[in-house]
mmCIF file of all heavy atoms in Angstrom:
data_model
loop_
_atom_site.group_PDB
_atom_site.id
_atom_site.type_symbol
_atom_site.label_atom_id
_atom_site.label_comp_id
_atom_site.label_asym_id
_atom_site.label_seq_id
_atom_site.Cartn_x
_atom_site.Cartn_y
_atom_site.Cartn_z
ATOM 1 N N ALA A 205 8.762 9.039 8.829
ATOM 2 C CA ALA A 205 8.589 9.790 7.579
ATOM 3 C C ALA A 205 9.075 8.961 6.398
ATOM 4 O O ALA A 205 8.425 8.908 5.342
ATOM 5 C CB ALA A 205 9.353 11.108 7.646
ATOM 6 N N LYS A 206 10.214 8.282 6.578
ATOM 7 C CA LYS A 206 10.749 7.430 5.523
ATOM 8 C C LYS A 206 9.807 6.258 5.239
ATOM 9 O O LYS A 206 9.522 5.942 4.076
ATOM 10 C CB LYS A 206 12.118 6.894 5.937
ATOM 11 C CG LYS A 206 12.688 5.859 4.989
ATOM 12 C CD LYS A 206 13.839 5.094 5.613
ATOM 13 C CE LYS A 206 14.224 3.876 4.783
ATOM 14 N NZ LYS A 206 15.225 3.023 5.434
ATOM 15 N N GLU A 207 9.307 5.621 6.290
ATOM 16 C CA GLU A 207 8.419 4.482 6.116
ATOM 17 C C GLU A 207 7.137 4.891 5.391
ATOM 18 O O GLU A 207 6.651 4.172 4.503
ATOM 19 C CB GLU A 207 8.092 3.860 7.476
ATOM 20 C CG GLU A 207 9.263 3.134 8.112
ATOM 21 C CD GLU A 207 9.000 2.732 9.555
ATOM 22 O OE1 GLU A 207 7.823 2.650 9.949
ATOM 23 O OE2 GLU A 207 9.979 2.506 10.289
ATOM 24 N N LYS A 208 6.587 6.039 5.768
ATOM 25 C CA LYS A 208 5.349 6.500 5.123
ATOM 26 C C LYS A 208 5.596 6.812 3.651
ATOM 27 O O LYS A 208 4.756 6.485 2.791
ATOM 28 C CB LYS A 208 4.812 7.746 5.848
ATOM 29 C CG LYS A 208 3.365 8.062 5.489
ATOM 30 C CD LYS A 208 2.441 6.927 5.910
ATOM 31 C CE LYS A 208 0.986 7.181 5.550
ATOM 32 N NZ LYS A 208 0.125 6.043 5.874
ATOM 33 N N GLU A 209 6.738 7.400 3.354
ATOM 34 C CA GLU A 209 7.069 7.693 1.957
ATOM 35 C C GLU A 209 7.210 6.405 1.155
ATOM 36 O O GLU A 209 6.716 6.302 0.027
ATOM 37 C CB GLU A 209 8.360 8.501 1.896
ATOM 38 C CG GLU A 209 8.759 8.913 0.483
ATOM 39 C CD GLU A 209 10.030 9.738 0.449
ATOM 40 O OE1 GLU A 209 10.594 10.027 1.517
ATOM 41 O OE2 GLU A 209 10.466 10.092 -0.675
ATOM 42 N N LEU A 210 7.887 5.419 1.747
ATOM 43 C CA LEU A 210 8.053 4.132 1.067
ATOM 44 C C LEU A 210 6.705 3.450 0.836
ATOM 45 O O LEU A 210 6.440 2.928 -0.249
ATOM 46 C CB LEU A 210 8.954 3.218 1.896
ATOM 47 C CG LEU A 210 10.450 3.531 1.915
ATOM 48 C CD1 LEU A 210 11.179 2.612 2.885
ATOM 49 C CD2 LEU A 210 11.045 3.408 0.514
ATOM 50 N N LEU A 211 5.853 3.464 1.867
ATOM 51 C CA LEU A 211 4.558 2.802 1.750
ATOM 52 C C LEU A 211 3.681 3.501 0.706
ATOM 53 O O LEU A 211 3.021 2.836 -0.101
ATOM 54 C CB LEU A 211 3.859 2.788 3.113
ATOM 55 C CG LEU A 211 2.903 1.623 3.360
ATOM 56 C CD1 LEU A 211 3.661 0.305 3.359
ATOM 57 C CD2 LEU A 211 2.184 1.798 4.691
ATOM 58 N N ASN A 212 3.697 4.831 0.712
ATOM 59 C CA ASN A 212 2.909 5.569 -0.284
ATOM 60 C C ASN A 212 3.410 5.304 -1.699
ATOM 61 O O ASN A 212 2.615 5.208 -2.643
ATOM 62 C CB ASN A 212 2.952 7.064 0.024
ATOM 63 C CG ASN A 212 2.109 7.440 1.230
ATOM 64 O OD1 ASN A 212 1.200 6.702 1.613
ATOM 65 N ND2 ASN A 212 2.405 8.573 1.839
ATOM 66 N N GLY A 213 4.730 5.188 -1.836
ATOM 67 C CA GLY A 213 5.287 4.872 -3.147
ATOM 68 C C GLY A 213 4.855 3.500 -3.627
ATOM 69 O O GLY A 213 4.522 3.312 -4.806
ATOM 70 N N LEU A 214 4.843 2.526 -2.708
ATOM 71 C CA LEU A 214 4.398 1.176 -3.056
ATOM 72 C C LEU A 214 2.922 1.181 -3.438
ATOM 73 O O LEU A 214 2.522 0.558 -4.441
ATOM 74 C CB LEU A 214 4.639 0.233 -1.881
ATOM 75 C CG LEU A 214 4.140 -1.208 -2.052
ATOM 76 C CD1 LEU A 214 4.858 -1.892 -3.223
ATOM 77 C CD2 LEU A 214 4.319 -2.004 -0.760
ATOM 78 N N ILE A 215 2.115 1.883 -2.668
ATOM 79 C CA ILE A 215 0.679 1.970 -2.956
ATOM 80 C C ILE A 215 0.452 2.575 -4.335
ATOM 81 O O ILE A 215 -0.399 2.120 -5.115
ATOM 82 C CB ILE A 215 -0.037 2.795 -1.865
ATOM 83 C CG1 ILE A 215 -0.042 2.026 -0.541
ATOM 84 C CG2 ILE A 215 -1.464 3.132 -2.280
ATOM 85 C CD1 ILE A 215 -0.488 2.851 0.646
ATOM 86 N N GLY A 216 1.235 3.612 -4.672
ATOM 87 C CA GLY A 216 1.112 4.247 -5.983
ATOM 88 C C GLY A 216 1.361 3.272 -7.120
ATOM 89 O O GLY A 216 0.657 3.298 -8.149
ATOM 90 N N LYS A 217 2.333 2.387 -6.940
ATOM 91 C CA LYS A 217 2.634 1.385 -7.964
ATOM 92 C C LYS A 217 1.531 0.321 -8.026
ATOM 93 O O LYS A 217 1.082 -0.071 -9.109
ATOM 94 C CB LYS A 217 3.977 0.717 -7.670
ATOM 95 C CG LYS A 217 5.186 1.610 -7.855
ATOM 96 C CD LYS A 217 6.473 0.869 -7.528
ATOM 97 C CE LYS A 217 7.681 1.753 -7.658
ATOM 98 N NZ LYS A 217 7.893 2.248 -9.042
ATOM 99 N N LEU A 218 1.098 -0.137 -6.858
ATOM 100 C CA LEU A 218 0.142 -1.237 -6.803
ATOM 101 C C LEU A 218 -1.241 -0.826 -7.280
ATOM 102 O O LEU A 218 -1.995 -1.656 -7.806
ATOM 103 C CB LEU A 218 0.065 -1.797 -5.387
ATOM 104 C CG LEU A 218 1.367 -2.427 -4.847
ATOM 105 C CD1 LEU A 218 1.158 -2.930 -3.423
ATOM 106 C CD2 LEU A 218 1.845 -3.557 -5.745
ATOM 107 N N CYS A 219 -1.601 0.432 -7.085
ATOM 108 C CA CYS A 219 -2.927 0.913 -7.502
ATOM 109 C C CYS A 219 -3.126 0.810 -9.014
ATOM 110 O O CYS A 219 -4.264 0.797 -9.507
ATOM 111 C CB CYS A 219 -3.120 2.366 -7.062
ATOM 112 S SG CYS A 219 -3.522 2.546 -5.319
ATOM 113 N N LYS A 220 -2.032 0.741 -9.744
ATOM 114 C CA LYS A 220 -2.105 0.662 -11.200
ATOM 115 C C LYS A 220 -2.306 -0.765 -11.706
ATOM 116 O O LYS A 220 -2.504 -0.984 -12.897
ATOM 117 C CB LYS A 220 -0.836 1.245 -11.812
ATOM 118 C CG LYS A 220 -0.589 2.710 -11.465
ATOM 119 C CD LYS A 220 0.758 3.179 -11.983
ATOM 120 C CE LYS A 220 1.041 4.619 -11.562
ATOM 121 N NZ LYS A 220 2.389 5.067 -12.012
ATOM 122 N N LEU A 221 -2.230 -1.740 -10.788
ATOM 123 C CA LEU A 221 -2.299 -3.143 -11.188
ATOM 124 C C LEU A 221 -3.735 -3.651 -11.133
ATOM 125 O O LEU A 221 -4.403 -3.556 -10.099
ATOM 126 C CB LEU A 221 -1.409 -3.990 -10.274
ATOM 127 C CG LEU A 221 0.069 -3.599 -10.233
ATOM 128 C CD1 LEU A 221 0.828 -4.542 -9.301
ATOM 129 C CD2 LEU A 221 0.678 -3.606 -11.630
ATOM 130 N N ASP A 222 -4.196 -4.198 -12.246
ATOM 131 C CA ASP A 222 -5.544 -4.749 -12.316
ATOM 132 C C ASP A 222 -5.587 -6.099 -11.613
ATOM 133 O O ASP A 222 -4.733 -6.965 -11.849
ATOM 134 C CB ASP A 222 -5.947 -4.915 -13.782
ATOM 135 C CG ASP A 222 -7.376 -5.398 -13.927
ATOM 136 O OD1 ASP A 222 -8.232 -4.980 -13.122
ATOM 137 O OD2 ASP A 222 -7.629 -6.212 -14.833
ATOM 138 N N GLY A 223 -6.574 -6.274 -10.715
ATOM 139 C CA GLY A 223 -6.725 -7.540 -10.011
ATOM 140 C C GLY A 223 -6.190 -7.528 -8.598
ATOM 141 O O GLY A 223 -6.299 -8.532 -7.889
ATOM 142 N N LEU A 224 -5.617 -6.420 -8.189
ATOM 143 C CA LEU A 224 -5.097 -6.304 -6.815
ATOM 144 C C LEU A 224 -5.935 -5.300 -6.039
ATOM 145 O O LEU A 224 -6.298 -4.238 -6.562
ATOM 146 C CB LEU A 224 -3.636 -5.877 -6.827
ATOM 147 C CG LEU A 224 -2.977 -5.799 -5.449
ATOM 148 C CD1 LEU A 224 -1.561 -6.381 -5.493
ATOM 149 C CD2 LEU A 224 -2.914 -4.364 -4.935
ATOM 150 N N LYS A 225 -6.232 -5.617 -4.795
ATOM 151 C CA LYS A 225 -7.041 -4.744 -3.940
ATOM 152 C C LYS A 225 -6.255 -4.367 -2.687
ATOM 153 O O LYS A 225 -5.559 -5.206 -2.110
ATOM 154 C CB LYS A 225 -8.338 -5.451 -3.530
ATOM 155 C CG LYS A 225 -9.291 -4.599 -2.710
ATOM 156 C CD LYS A 225 -10.534 -5.384 -2.351
ATOM 157 C CE LYS A 225 -11.565 -4.507 -1.653
ATOM 158 N NZ LYS A 225 -11.057 -3.863 -0.425
ATOM 159 N N ILE A 226 -6.360 -3.119 -2.295
ATOM 160 C CA ILE A 226 -5.760 -2.654 -1.041
ATOM 161 C C ILE A 226 -6.844 -2.620 0.017
ATOM 162 O O ILE A 226 -7.894 -1.991 -0.175
ATOM 163 C CB ILE A 226 -5.108 -1.272 -1.217
ATOM 164 C CG1 ILE A 226 -3.933 -1.377 -2.202
ATOM 165 C CG2 ILE A 226 -4.631 -0.719 0.124
ATOM 166 C CD1 ILE A 226 -3.289 -0.060 -2.551
ATOM 167 N N ASN A 227 -6.591 -3.298 1.139
ATOM 168 C CA ASN A 227 -7.586 -3.396 2.208
ATOM 169 C C ASN A 227 -7.329 -2.357 3.292
ATOM 170 O O ASN A 227 -6.182 -2.110 3.666
ATOM 171 C CB ASN A 227 -7.521 -4.777 2.872
ATOM 172 C CG ASN A 227 -7.739 -5.910 1.897
ATOM 173 O OD1 ASN A 227 -8.579 -5.821 1.007
ATOM 174 N ND2 ASN A 227 -6.993 -7.001 2.066
ATOM 175 N N GLY A 228 -8.393 -1.794 3.824
ATOM 176 C CA GLY A 228 -8.300 -1.033 5.060
ATOM 177 C C GLY A 228 -7.689 0.343 4.928
ATOM 178 O O GLY A 228 -7.405 0.843 3.840
ATOM 179 N N ALA A 229 -7.459 0.943 6.082
ATOM 180 C CA ALA A 229 -7.087 2.350 6.159
ATOM 181 C C ALA A 229 -5.607 2.606 5.914
ATOM 182 O O ALA A 229 -5.230 3.691 5.472
ATOM 183 C CB ALA A 229 -7.483 2.901 7.540
ATOM 184 N N HIS A 230 -4.742 1.646 6.229
ATOM 185 C CA HIS A 230 -3.280 1.782 6.175
ATOM 186 C C HIS A 230 -2.798 3.185 6.589
ATOM 187 O O HIS A 230 -2.020 3.834 5.906
ATOM 188 C CB HIS A 230 -2.719 1.372 4.800
ATOM 189 C CG HIS A 230 -3.315 2.107 3.617
ATOM 190 N ND1 HIS A 230 -2.900 3.347 3.226
ATOM 191 C CD2 HIS A 230 -4.272 1.750 2.739
ATOM 192 C CE1 HIS A 230 -3.573 3.741 2.173
ATOM 193 N NE2 HIS A 230 -4.415 2.772 1.840
ATOM 194 N N GLN A 231 -3.289 3.648 7.762
ATOM 195 C CA GLN A 231 -2.897 4.963 8.257
ATOM 196 C C GLN A 231 -1.539 4.943 8.959
ATOM 197 O O GLN A 231 -0.820 5.937 8.963
ATOM 198 C CB GLN A 231 -3.972 5.475 9.232
ATOM 199 C CG GLN A 231 -5.318 5.711 8.566
ATOM 200 C CD GLN A 231 -6.482 5.563 9.543
ATOM 201 O OE1 GLN A 231 -6.403 4.826 10.526
ATOM 202 N NE2 GLN A 231 -7.582 6.232 9.248
ATOM 203 N N ALA A 232 -1.199 3.816 9.558
ATOM 204 C CA ALA A 232 0.111 3.681 10.189
ATOM 205 C C ALA A 232 1.176 3.646 9.095
ATOM 206 O O ALA A 232 0.906 3.228 7.965
ATOM 207 C CB ALA A 232 0.165 2.404 11.027
ATOM 208 N N PRO A 233 2.406 4.044 9.401
ATOM 209 C CA PRO A 233 3.426 4.147 8.352
ATOM 210 C C PRO A 233 4.042 2.834 7.920
ATOM 211 O O PRO A 233 4.832 2.809 6.979
ATOM 212 C CB PRO A 233 4.488 5.041 9.020
ATOM 213 C CG PRO A 233 4.365 4.741 10.469
ATOM 214 C CD PRO A 233 2.897 4.543 10.705
ATOM 215 N N HIS A 234 3.675 1.723 8.577
ATOM 216 C CA HIS A 234 4.435 0.492 8.346
ATOM 217 C C HIS A 234 3.610 -0.722 7.936
ATOM 218 O O HIS A 234 4.179 -1.788 7.706
ATOM 219 C CB HIS A 234 5.222 0.134 9.605
ATOM 220 C CG HIS A 234 4.382 -0.149 10.817
ATOM 221 N ND1 HIS A 234 3.475 0.756 11.334
ATOM 222 C CD2 HIS A 234 4.310 -1.237 11.628
ATOM 223 C CE1 HIS A 234 2.905 0.242 12.402
ATOM 224 N NE2 HIS A 234 3.381 -0.969 12.586
ATOM 225 N N ILE A 235 2.272 -0.594 7.836
ATOM 226 C CA ILE A 235 1.422 -1.763 7.578
ATOM 227 C C ILE A 235 0.554 -1.536 6.349
ATOM 228 O O ILE A 235 -0.098 -0.504 6.210
ATOM 229 C CB ILE A 235 0.518 -2.065 8.791
ATOM 230 C CG1 ILE A 235 1.366 -2.396 10.027
ATOM 231 C CG2 ILE A 235 -0.437 -3.216 8.491
ATOM 232 C CD1 ILE A 235 0.557 -2.556 11.302
ATOM 233 N N LEU A 236 0.540 -2.546 5.468
ATOM 234 C CA LEU A 236 -0.302 -2.498 4.275
ATOM 235 C C LEU A 236 -0.899 -3.881 4.033
ATOM 236 O O LEU A 236 -0.184 -4.873 3.935
ATOM 237 C CB LEU A 236 0.531 -2.075 3.056
ATOM 238 C CG LEU A 236 -0.240 -1.926 1.733
ATOM 239 C CD1 LEU A 236 -1.269 -0.803 1.831
ATOM 240 C CD2 LEU A 236 0.734 -1.664 0.589
ATOM 241 N N SER A 237 -2.232 -3.939 3.929
ATOM 242 C CA SER A 237 -2.935 -5.190 3.652
ATOM 243 C C SER A 237 -3.337 -5.216 2.184
ATOM 244 O O SER A 237 -3.976 -4.283 1.689
ATOM 245 C CB SER A 237 -4.171 -5.325 4.543
ATOM 246 O OG SER A 237 -4.894 -6.496 4.198
ATOM 247 N N LEU A 238 -2.961 -6.291 1.484
ATOM 248 C CA LEU A 238 -3.255 -6.446 0.064
ATOM 249 C C LEU A 238 -4.087 -7.699 -0.160
ATOM 250 O O LEU A 238 -4.026 -8.634 0.642
ATOM 251 C CB LEU A 238 -1.953 -6.566 -0.737
ATOM 252 C CG LEU A 238 -0.940 -5.430 -0.568
ATOM 253 C CD1 LEU A 238 0.350 -5.771 -1.288
ATOM 254 C CD2 LEU A 238 -1.514 -4.116 -1.073
ATOM 255 N N ALA A 239 -4.823 -7.725 -1.246
ATOM 256 C CA ALA A 239 -5.596 -8.913 -1.600
ATOM 257 C C ALA A 239 -5.555 -9.130 -3.093
ATOM 258 O O ALA A 239 -5.633 -8.182 -3.885
ATOM 259 C CB ALA A 239 -7.042 -8.775 -1.126
ATOM 260 N N ILE A 240 -5.432 -10.407 -3.484
ATOM 261 C CA ILE A 240 -5.562 -10.812 -4.877
ATOM 262 C C ILE A 240 -6.698 -11.836 -4.908
ATOM 263 O O ILE A 240 -6.474 -13.034 -4.686
ATOM 264 C CB ILE A 240 -4.255 -11.406 -5.417
ATOM 265 C CG1 ILE A 240 -3.130 -10.373 -5.310
ATOM 266 C CG2 ILE A 240 -4.434 -11.850 -6.870
ATOM 267 C CD1 ILE A 240 -1.781 -10.877 -5.774
ATOM 268 N N PRO A 241 -7.934 -11.370 -5.095
ATOM 269 C CA PRO A 241 -9.076 -12.290 -5.125
ATOM 270 C C PRO A 241 -8.868 -13.371 -6.183
ATOM 271 O O PRO A 241 -8.475 -13.073 -7.318
ATOM 272 C CB PRO A 241 -10.253 -11.378 -5.469
ATOM 273 C CG PRO A 241 -9.828 -10.017 -5.004
ATOM 274 C CD PRO A 241 -8.356 -9.961 -5.272
#
């Protein structure tokens, strides 16, 4: 629960950044794939 909350919080911050892409489903609580083309 803590990991999922942390990951969702990070995603919320990163979604606001222009030029960054989030890859894939990131359904697990501990994995996030990012891309900066």
Side-chain angles (χ1 to χ4, degrees):
K206 173 195 168 187
E207 289 170 21
K208 195 62 181 176
E209 183 179 358
L210 286 175
L211 209 64
N212 287 339
L214 176 62
I215 291 169
K217 291 179 182 297
L218 297 179
C219 282
K220 300 174 183 177
L221 302 181
D222 184 37
L224 183 138
K225 184 180 186 302
I226 296 175
N227 302 320
H230 56 82
Q231 296 153 332
H234 62 303
I235 298 174
L236 182 64
S237 176
L238 304 173
I240 301 178

